[in-house]
Amino acid sequence: MDFTEEQLHRYSRHIIMPEVGGKGQKKLLAAKVFIVGAGGLGCPVGYYLAAAGVGTIGVVDNDDVELSNLQRQIAHSVSTIGKPKVESLKATLGGLNPDVNVVALKQRLTNGNILDILKDYDIVVDGSDNFPNRYLVNDACVMLKKPLISGAILRFEGQVTTIIPGEGHCYRCLFEEPPPPGLVPSCQEAGVLGVLPGVIGGLEATEVLKLILGKGEVLKNELLIYNALQVGFRKVKVPKRADCPVCGDNPTITELMDYDAGYCAPR
Amino acid sequence: MVDEEITPDESIDIRGLVCPYTFVKAKLAIEDLEVGKVLEIILDYEEASRSIPKSMEDHGQTVLLVDKTNETDWRLLIRKEQD
């Protein structure tokens, strides 16, 4: 595939970098990335991956855009309030870069559909806002051996980690079980600084691009914690656990389970 | 440095282009060459006559020739040393 003149201009700042070049840009155009959630994290992740020319971006979310989303979910707008978030995101990304094929799925991810949905993608990004989904996505990615970039945000703090099944830790090596329902406040209850998902989503998108390009280090066996009030980044080591219930030597979780048990039903 | 005997394996004419598209075209042309082959670049943007050789060296390639061939044009010869 040769670049069009338009693509030479669009991607010129990538092509001139030694770590990217024309070859790297072609890898980006051929890549398929799936984003779980079209909310605070999904918006900036999708925005930057589309701008970078990631050729196929899948996204799943069952919610519609609400006015209260617009404080941080930058791909939506007043004109898409009431419409499915995935359609709103798809329209925004299509306007930014027509090279990108956005696959919009307005549905819930479940233990029954996730393996089939993720199987055609190279890399998965988790921008979900609840624990059942976070563990469902982790376990599915471990079983499918798909790299997973996991991000989380609350108030002034955010986290990012990169899970490479078979090579490094997984989310259950870090936190074996979801916390009991109600123990950890959701961002609906506790709030989140509007810009925070931009920082964390930007870091997640950066991890994705490095994985596609095969350049640099990623947050394998590490959790990066950002505190906006203290302006601090901290890296915590997260070893892969031999006794991890899903990615360990003798896993006890060998098929997807009911992740919603005990949690309130999704809206 | 000037070696009139070198015969380039590929040639691109990027007259009329300005930075950074001069280097975009030059870099894509170098990427398509095999290691050891020589690329000839004809250009008329003065700044690129300096920036392309510098960037090529930064990327690990060897600049064999930078020659002002007439009032407006330069001719560069770059040997590809690495992918």
Side-chain angles (χ1 to χ4, degrees):
Chain A
M1 181 209 87
D2 284 329
F3 294 110
T4 63
E5 283 301 311
E6 213 168 72
Q7 286 176 321
L8 287 185
H9 282 246
R10 181 182 284 276
Y11 304 120
S12 58
R13 269 58 171 184
H14 270 165
I15 293 170
I16 61 181
M17 289 204 290
E19 295 83 357
V20 186
K23 286 178 182 164
Q25 188 60 51
K26 285 176 187 174
K27 285 184 191 173
L28 295 175
L29 287 163
K32 297 179 174 183
V33 177
F34 193 84
I35 304 171
V36 179
L41 291 169
C43 284
V45 170
Y47 234 129
Y48 274 112
L49 294 184
V54 169
T56 303
I57 298 175
V59 59
V60 66
D61 201 307
N62 201 33
D63 290 345
D64 296 328
V65 178
E66 297 175 18
L67 184 57
S68 66
N69 300 147
L70 302 186
Q71 164 254 20
R72 64 199 176 285
Q73 301 184 16
I74 57 170
H76 308 312
S77 70
V78 286
S79 65
T80 59
I81 289 173
K83 294 182 178 155
K85 283 187 181 178
V86 289
E87 293 301 335
S88 172
L89 180 61
K90 179 181 169 126
T92 300
L93 303 190
L96 178 63
N97 189 349
D99 285 347
V100 179
N101 173 34
V102 180
V103 180
L105 304 174
K106 180 178 170 25
Q107 61 187 96
R108 288 193 61 221
L109 270 186
T110 68
N111 56 8
N113 65 19
I114 188 169
L115 295 175
D116 196 47
I117 288 172
L118 297 185
K119 72 176 189 324
D120 294 330
Y121 290 87
D122 306 316
I123 299 171
V124 180
V125 182
D126 187 11
S128 59
D129 61 354
N130 63 80
F131 286 102
N133 258 358
R134 193 169 290 280
Y135 282 81
L136 170 65
V137 172
N138 176 76
D139 294 354
C141 285
V142 169
M143 290 172 191
L144 291 167
K145 298 190 170 26
K146 304 276 185 193
L148 166 65
I149 323 298
S150 188
I153 47 170
L154 195 73
R155 295 180 177 144
F156 287 90
E157 196 167 284
Q159 306 174 346
V160 190
T161 189
T162 295
I163 291 160
I164 315 285
E167 292 183 26
H169 77 295
C170 81
Y171 205 75
R172 285 188 191 273
C173 297
L174 180 59
F175 306 112
E176 186 170 329
E177 295 285 334
L183 183 72
V184 178
S186 71
C187 90
Q188 257 183 51
E189 296 154 358
V192 58
L193 192 71
V195 69
L196 195 72
V199 177
I200 300 300
L203 289 166
E204 288 191 286
T206 310
E207 293 289 280
V208 171
L209 296 182
K210 288 185 298 179
L211 281 177
I212 296 169
L213 295 169
K215 298 292 177 186
E217 306 293 319
V218 292
L219 290 164
K220 184 171 74 177
N221 292 326
E222 288 179 315
L223 177 72
L224 181 68
I225 301 169
Y226 169 63
N227 184 303
L229 283 178
Q230 296 162 356
V231 206
F233 281 97
R234 202 153 53 91
K235 269 194 203 174
V236 180
K237 291 236 176 293
V238 185
K240 175 171 163 54
R241 280 177 40 197
D243 63 345
C244 172
V246 69
C247 79
D249 298 338
N250 298 296
T252 53
I253 300 169
T254 53
E255 56 185 48
L256 300 173
M257 59 179 97
D258 177 11
Y259 292 79
D260 290 325
Y263 281 82
C264 55
R267 288 173 298 150
Chain B
M1 185 173 175
V2 177
D3 185 352
E4 297 298 339
E5 300 304 312
I6 296 174
T7 310
D9 299 286
E10 283 293 335
S11 181
I12 57 170
D13 183 346
I14 53 173
R15 284 177 292 184
L17 291 183
V18 299
C19 290
Y21 305 106
T22 43
F23 187 59
V24 169
K25 292 276 190 184
K27 179 150 171 35
L28 290 173
I30 274 280
E31 282 186 19
D32 285 341
L33 282 189
E34 288 171 30
V35 170
K37 302 284 187 187
V38 174
L39 175 69
E40 176 185 59
I41 304 169
I42 310 295
L43 59 97
D44 62 2
Y45 186 64
E46 190 272 338
E47 189 187 330
S49 72
R50 288 175 281 114
S51 64
I52 289 180
K54 181 178 183 310
S55 297
M56 285 294 178
E57 286 185 344
D58 288 347
H59 290 219
Q61 320 304 352
T62 298
V63 179
L64 301 174
L65 175 73
V66 179
D67 186 28
K68 192 161 190 338
T69 50
N70 59 44
E71 280 292 291
T72 55
D73 300 348
W74 282 263
R75 176 174 179 253
L76 314 181
L77 290 175
I78 314 286
R79 187 171 66 220
K80 181 167 178 173
E81 306 291 355
Q82 57 179 288
D83 274 317

